[in-house]
Amino acid sequence: MNTFILLGPPGAGKGTQADLISADLGIPKISTGDMLRSAVASKSDLGNRVEDILNSGKLVSDDIIIELINDRINQSDCKSGYLFDGVPRTLGQANLFLQNDIEVNKVIDISLDDELIIKRMSGRRFHIASGRSYHIEFNPPKAEGLDDETGEPLIQREDDFPETVKKRLEVYHSQTKPLTDFYKSKASEGIISFISINGNQSVDEVFSEIKSYL
Ligand code: AP5
């Protein structure tokens, strides 16, 4: 079974690559960011609890995340594999994955400097219902301001405004970056395979490196 984690800082291109890998391998992308944003959009109990956390750039608690993931991977489309986009993102979540026997066999770590991240975030436009993301300069939609597949309007995410991006980067460096060493050490024990990819390349170049690894 193909089971992946896409690791990396906010704006590194995880969501962009996750869509390409998911289409290529026919496995679902599981993005906790998309799941949480859709809970907020539908004004569910969960959405109301997490809305301020998302907008402030902080992380939602590990127990909410593990519950979302356990529910999601038990759905029938995950039987032949899945791709985690942006989860786990704390050592606590990674350990909960192990305790809950959530299978992962490959980890793809996309790296990018903070300066470029800020540039990418400021030009990002987002289709909230599908999680598809675009960039006004680097990855524009076919028609300005509209999603390629549905023609619906694109938005700028509230957490992409500069002050929140700064907060998200701090959170990434303190809480998520340690996962790189965590999974490298699992790879050296032969438990998973791990690849590091330079995110400062075009979307096609990053995908082609990932494809040769797959
Ligand atoms: P989430 O939605 O997961 O955000 P993130 O990890 O911060 O990642 P992003 O979606 O911002 O970036 P990305 O790497 O997917 O980049 P993209 O492909 O869009 O999480 C949001 C929030 O939810 C968190 O802050 C937290 O509050 C909460 N949350 C989610 N999961 C959680 C968890 N597990 N635990 C706790 N809390 C959680 O690309 C960025 C831009 O660059 C786009 O405009 C794109 O078009 C462009 N681009 C992409 N690739 C390239 C390229 N190669 N060259 C040029 N431009 C490119």
Side-chain angles (χ1 to χ4, degrees), residues 14-24 29 83 130-133:
K14 301 181 299 295
T16 304
Q17 296 300 325
D19 286 336
L20 297 171
I21 299 167
S22 161
D24 193 65
K29 144 178 138 173
L83 167 69
S130 66
R132 275 185 288 280
S133 79

Side-chain angles (χ1 to χ4, degrees), residues 25-150:
L25 295 180
I27 55 173
K29 144 178 138 173
I30 301 180
S31 157
T32 36
D34 289 349
M35 292 160 95
L36 294 166
R37 274 185 294 278
S38 105
V40 171
S42 69
K43 304 201 177 301
S44 66
D45 274 358
L46 171 65
N48 293 335
R49 275 192 287 150
V50 300
E51 183 169 12
D52 288 346
I53 303 176
L54 257 67
N55 289 341
S56 70
K58 294 182 189 152
L59 294 182
V60 169
S61 69
D62 291 349
D63 47 329
I64 290 182
I65 296 295
I66 208 71
E67 199 181 325
L68 280 176
I69 292 297
N70 270 328
D71 285 351
R72 183 64 187 88
I73 60 169
N74 281 319
Q75 291 171 19
S76 58
D77 62 333
C78 293
K79 293 256 179 296
S80 54
Y82 43 77
L83 167 69
F84 291 120
D85 163 11
V87 60
R89 68 172 81 193
T90 63
L91 285 170
Q93 290 173 23
N95 283 314
L96 284 168
F97 269 45
L98 292 175
Q99 285 160 29
N100 284 266
D101 292 323
I102 297 172
E103 184 183 321
V104 171
N105 46 44
K106 290 192 174 80
V107 176
I108 301 168
D109 188 26
I110 306 179
S111 59
L112 196 67
D113 289 345
D114 287 7
E115 249 172 63
L116 260 170
I117 289 172
I118 291 166
K119 196 166 175 199
R120 287 209 187 156
M121 302 299 226
S122 60
R124 172 159 61 180
R125 297 295 177 270
F126 208 72
H127 181 241
I128 207 129
S130 66
R132 275 185 288 280
S133 79
Y134 301 85
H135 192 281
I136 49 176
E137 186 185 342
F138 307 131
N139 184 22
K142 290 178 191 139
E144 195 183 326
L146 300 176
D147 177 50
D148 286 351
E149 303 212 354
T150 62

